[in-house]
Every structure is written in structure tokens, then in C-alpha cells.
Amino acid sequence: METTSNISGKEISRESRYAVENHTMFENTTMSKILLTVLGVSSALGLAFLIMSCLFCIHVIRRYYKKKQKMYDVPEIIEMPDPFIASTVKEQMLGSDEPEANTYSCLDLVTQKPQIDHWPGLSVPGDVTGASHELTHVRSWEDIPSCSDDVNIGASRWKCRSYSLASLNMGIEAYNTTLHFSAEYVKERSTLTVVLQLVSSLPLKFRGRAVYAVAHLYPYRTEGLESRLTVSAESAEFKETIKFRDVSNEDLEKSTLKITLYSKKLKKSSKDAFIGQVYLKGSDVNWTPQRLLQFDMKIERKQLKRQSTSEKYLFKDMGELFVLLQYQQLANRIKVLVRKANNLPRSDKLLGNPAHYVIVNLRKDDTVIDHRETSTQSGYSPIWNQPFLFDTPRSEITDLSIEFVIMRGRRYKDGVVGHVTVGPETSGTGLSHWEEIMKPHGNEIARWHNLMPVFKFQ
């Protein structure tokens, strides 16, 4: 009995061992299948991603080379025969003494400027010397001004109705486009009233279109006030009144009026065309006593960014500059002490405090005749305490002025922060400070001045 029980126990233990081994093998097989599946899916996704990346790179490279080819592609100039020099087929067949050119009312030139030079006798009027060499197509003959009747292009009686189409591409600079407006400040109501009158000498490409103006008063009224649309010819009349309310006299002296002109596009999806802009600094105008002031300002289009104040600085107070001046009459010189600045505009270029320095220009009318430069100090309220001496001939003292230009460190692209001008032709604190130092007592006079933006155009 004992022998039988031992045999049966050994068989049971052997079967259980086989069952455990089979179960382990099954689990290992299942895990291996799962791993293989995951590896296969991962490989497929990686291969698909690689293929898509290659296709995207090929697409980008093709677009780059197409754009480069368009940029450097020079259009072929077609040699066109002159129909007005030799005898035409009609004259040879009919024996007519009148050349066929007399049957033409005008010559439609749609080629490029270098190709026009191949036509002998074609003269470009003298008032289009500043025109661009690129020519544009015209929409109708009404867009082309008539020219002199004595232009001879191979036929004496042929009458020309058009300039060279180069005149159609002349910009703001060539046409001397001017914005005419008036402004009045009522101190009792704290209201600045701007009357937009008209814009004159518009370029040809903006004539016949709807034109409108947008006015801003930085930094206190940053939202733009838009005028009504007006159809332009050589000039566009607005007759629009814009009012800025709740503007104190102190705020007006620190403000900048910006008026921008746009041409309305026909398509809703496209942006309106930029014509130009004007800037009027409040510190340059004597707003008292109350009166209507007339302004005729040339519209500028291309601003020199490196030599002008960044527009983002106009949305906030630009800070102050504290300077000391003394006119030493016996020595014929002016003593200048650049003391410090306060609350300069913040920069978003780099972390930390940027460095600032001051350029002091001695100006005669609009020309810099002498200049000095302070050391560089970091922070938004830098302290310089740096004196300078300028020789000033007594006969020229009434034509001189002193300009202080605050610059941001050379590591920053937006180098110009703002400026202050003290002189007899200025207004506000600049004028009063100059009048104080010109008094006979010859004392040192120190004052705070509000920083104003610098605008320079091409």
C-alpha cells in the first residue's frame, strides 16, 4: 500500500510540474507576441514619420528655390521695331505722303524702362527724374496726364497723350504730398480739436480711390479716431473735425499727435494701402493763448528706425531728464551739466537693466556744430553728473540751441529713446529754461524736461 501511494504521489508531482512549465511557456509566448507587435507598430510609425519629414523638407527646398529663381530672374527684353521711322506697308502700297503714325491717337507703352530707351526720340519730362524705373500698367486713359503736343517720335503731326509710365510709380517723396489741418486747444474744456482739411499732391496710384485718415494722441489716447471716406483726385478734401477730450495742458505738452493716411482697398480680404503719416509733438507748439493754429506738414512714408524712437515707447510716459545750464557771457561759452534721468521706457529686448548714455548736440539752426557724449550708466533712472563746456560766439547766440538725445546701450537695436531741446525757437520748459540762462545775472539754472520722441525719415 505504501509503495502504491508513493508511486501515485510521484506521478501527481510530475504532472503538476509539467502543467507549470506549460503555463510558463504560454505566458512567455504571449509576451513575446505582444513585444513583437509593439515593435512592429513603432517601426511603422517611425518609418511613416521619416517619410513625411523627407517630403516636407523636399517641399520647403522646392519653394525656396522657386522664390530665389523669381527674385533673380531677369525678364527678357524684346527688341521691338520702331513703326514710325521707316515707310510703312500702307505708304508703300498706296503711295501716300502721310505716314501711318498720324492715325495713332496714342502709344500704349507697357514695357520696362530699359526697353523704352530703345525708342529714338522719346523724351521723359523733367519733372519725373525721381521716378522709379519700374513701370506699371494703367487702368484707363484717364489715369494718364496729357503731355506737350510738340513731342516728336518720328512723325511731326503725331500727338502724344501720355508721359512715360515711370511717372505712375512716383512716390510720396517725388510728389511732395502735404496734409493741411488746423488744431485748437481749449483749456477750460480740456479739449484738443483737430480739423482735417485736405491732402494735396497725391501720387497717381492713389488718385480715384477712397482715402481716409486715422488720428492718435499718444500716450493718452492710443485708440485711433477714424475719419470718413473721401474720393481723391489730385487732392482729397476731408472737412472732418476730430476731438480729444479730457486732455490737460501738462498732458498735451508731453503728447504726440499722429495722423496716418490710408487708401481703401476694393477687396475686403486685402489690407488698406498705407499712404503716409505725420507727427506733431505737443512740446513744439505754443498752445496758449487759445487760438486756431494752421499746419501744413509734408507726409512721410519711410521712417529711419535706427535713428527714430520706437513707436512702442509712445504708448507710455517717456520719462524726464534733469539738466543744469549756465551762460557765461564774459567767456562766451555755455556750461552744461547732465545730471540724471527718471522713469525711462522699459525695454523688452533683454533681461536686466539696460545701459543709457546722453549725446549733447550744440545746434545752429538745423546743423550740429559741436557735440559731446556722456559715459554709460545702467538702469531706468541713470545718474551721470557729467559737465561740458561749449564755446558760443556772442553774435550767434540767438541762433543756437542745445539738444540732449538719450540713447540706449549699443547692444540694443532700439537705440534712440528720446530727446530734449532747449533754445529760443522751442516752447514750454525748453524755451523758459533758455530765457532764464540768458538773463544778465548768469546763474546756474537746473530744470526737469519731459522726454519727447525723435522722428527721422528718408
Side-chain angles (χ1 to χ4, degrees):
M1 293 294 294
E2 293 177 358
T3 305
T4 305
S5 61
N6 291 334
I7 294 172
S8 60
K10 291 180 180 180
E11 291 176 354
I12 292 173
S13 60
R14 190 180 302 169
E15 291 176 357
S16 62
R17 192 188 308 155
Y18 290 155
V20 171
E21 292 177 355
N22 292 333
H23 182 69
T24 304
M25 292 177 61
F26 177 77
E27 288 181 351
N28 293 336
T29 306
T30 305
M31 290 296 296
S32 62
K33 290 181 179 180
I34 293 174
L35 289 175
L36 291 174
T37 304
V38 171
L39 289 175
V41 173
S42 301
S43 301
L45 291 175
L47 183 61
F49 178 79
L50 181 62
I51 294 174
M52 291 178 65
S53 301
C54 294
L55 293 176
F56 179 77
C57 293
I58 294 173
H59 177 68
V60 170
I61 293 172
R62 290 182 63 185
R63 288 187 60 183
Y64 170 78
Y65 278 104
K66 284 184 178 180
K67 185 176 180 180
K68 188 175 181 181
Q69 183 178 3
K70 289 182 179 180
M71 185 181 301
Y72 294 102
D73 191 14
V74 179
E76 183 181 359
I77 298 177
I78 304 175
E79 294 290 342
M80 300 177 62
D82 192 341
F84 307 111
I85 296 179
S87 299
T88 60
V89 178
K90 177 182 177 181
E91 182 179 358
Q92 294 176 358
M93 294 180 63
L94 301 179
S96 175
D97 296 332
E98 180 179 357
E100 190 179 359
N102 294 328
T103 63
Y104 286 81
S105 61
C106 192
L107 179 64
D108 187 7
L109 301 177
V110 295
T111 57
Q112 288 191 343
K113 178 68 171 63
Q115 191 167 342
I116 294 180
D117 295 336
H118 289 82
W119 294 77
L122 180 59
S123 60
V124 180
D127 58 345
V128 296
T129 56
S132 171
H133 291 292
E134 294 182 2
L135 305 182
T136 57
H137 295 275
V138 297
R139 293 174 293 176
S140 62
W141 285 114
E142 287 73 19
D143 293 337
I144 305 179
S146 60
C147 63
S148 176
D149 293 341
D150 58 356
V151 178
N152 183 13
I153 310 183
S156 59
R157 286 178 288 178
W158 184 78
K159 295 183 179 181
C160 174
R161 292 180 57 197
S162 68
Y163 288 119
S164 167
L165 294 188
S167 62
L168 296 180
N169 220 26
M170 292 168 63
I172 293 291
E173 299 79 6
Y175 278 92
N176 197 19
T177 306
T178 306
L179 177 64
H180 307 271
F181 67 97
S182 60
E184 181 183 18
Y185 178 69
V186 181
K187 186 176 181 180
E188 291 75 13
R189 300 179 182 178
S190 299
T191 302
L192 175 64
T193 303
V194 179
V195 180
L196 300 177
Q197 298 167 352
L198 61 92
V199 54
S200 60
S201 301
L202 279 170
L204 288 178
K205 61 181 179 181
F206 295 118
R207 298 180 186 179
R209 297 184 181 181
V211 177
Y212 67 96
V214 180
H216 299 81
L217 186 65
Y218 296 124
Y220 306 102
R221 298 292 182 269
T222 56
E223 65 277 5
L225 301 179
E226 186 174 322
S227 69
R228 295 187 297 267
L229 293 173
T230 178
V231 179
S232 63
E234 184 178 354
S235 61
E237 294 187 2
F238 292 104
K239 297 181 180 180
E240 181 95 9
T241 301
I242 298 176
K243 292 186 177 182
F244 297 95
R245 306 182 187 276
D246 300 329
V247 181
S248 65
N249 192 19
E250 293 77 11
D251 294 341
L252 185 59
E253 289 185 357
K254 297 188 292 184
S255 65
T256 302
L257 176 65
K258 176 187 176 183
I259 303 177
T260 311
L261 296 179
Y262 296 95
S263 175
K264 198 72 176 177
K265 287 288 187 179
L266 299 178
K267 296 181 180 179
K268 295 182 178 180
S269 58
S270 58
K271 295 182 179 180
D272 295 342
F274 172 73
I275 299 178
Q277 58 193 2
V278 297
Y279 290 94
L280 177 64
K281 291 182 282 189
S283 61
D284 293 343
V285 182
N286 186 11
W287 300 102
T288 57
Q290 177 182 338
R291 65 191 187 280
L292 189 65
L293 302 174
Q294 180 65 32
F295 300 95
D296 303 314
M297 302 185 67
K298 181 182 177 181
I299 294 178
E300 304 288 353
R301 183 175 177 87
K302 295 181 180 180
Q303 185 173 352
L304 298 175
K305 295 184 178 180
R306 295 294 180 88
Q307 302 178 27
S308 303
T309 302
S310 177
E311 190 168 347
K312 63 184 177 182
Y313 293 158
L314 303 181
F315 292 91
K316 296 182 180 179
D317 191 354
M318 297 187 60
E320 299 173 302
L321 178 66
F322 188 66
V323 295
L324 180 146
L325 298 176
Q326 181 190 27
Y327 176 50
Q328 301 174 357
Q329 187 174 2
L330 296 178
N332 289 330
R333 62 186 183 185
I334 294 180
K335 175 185 176 181
V336 177
L337 175 64
V338 182
R339 178 75 172 88
K340 60 182 178 179
N342 185 35
N343 194 24
L344 295 180
R346 299 279 172 174
S347 176
D348 54 359
K349 296 295 183 182
L350 294 174
L351 298 177
N353 294 327
H356 298 88
Y357 61 99
V358 181
I359 298 176
V360 185
N361 295 322
L362 180 64
R363 289 182 171 271
K364 181 180 179 182
D365 298 329
D366 294 332
T367 305
V368 177
I369 60 177
D370 198 0
H371 72 280
R372 302 286 192 276
E373 183 176 322
T374 67
S375 59
T376 302
Q377 300 294 332
S378 62
Y380 294 103
S381 297
I383 299 175
W384 293 282
N385 276 336
Q386 199 160 346
F388 303 102
L389 290 175
F390 291 96
D391 294 328
T392 55
R394 186 174 302 179
S395 59
E396 300 178 355
I397 191 64
T398 56
D399 300 328
L400 300 180
S401 62
I402 303 175
E403 181 188 29
F404 303 87
V405 183
I406 297 185
M407 306 289 294
R408 189 147 283 170
R410 295 171 178 82
R411 294 180 301 171
Y412 294 78
K413 293 182 180 180
D414 49 347
V416 180
V417 177
H419 77 144
V420 169
T421 304
V422 179
E425 300 298 329
T426 59
S427 61
T429 59
L431 178 60
S432 61
H433 199 174
W434 183 265
E435 292 176 347
E436 283 290 328
I437 67 172
M438 288 295 115
K439 290 182 179 179
H441 52 65
N443 294 334
E444 296 179 347
I445 307 297
R447 284 197 177 182
W448 284 99
H449 297 271
N450 295 317
L451 278 181
M452 298 304 296
V454 180
F455 302 112
K456 290 189 177 181
F457 302 91
Q458 291 183 356

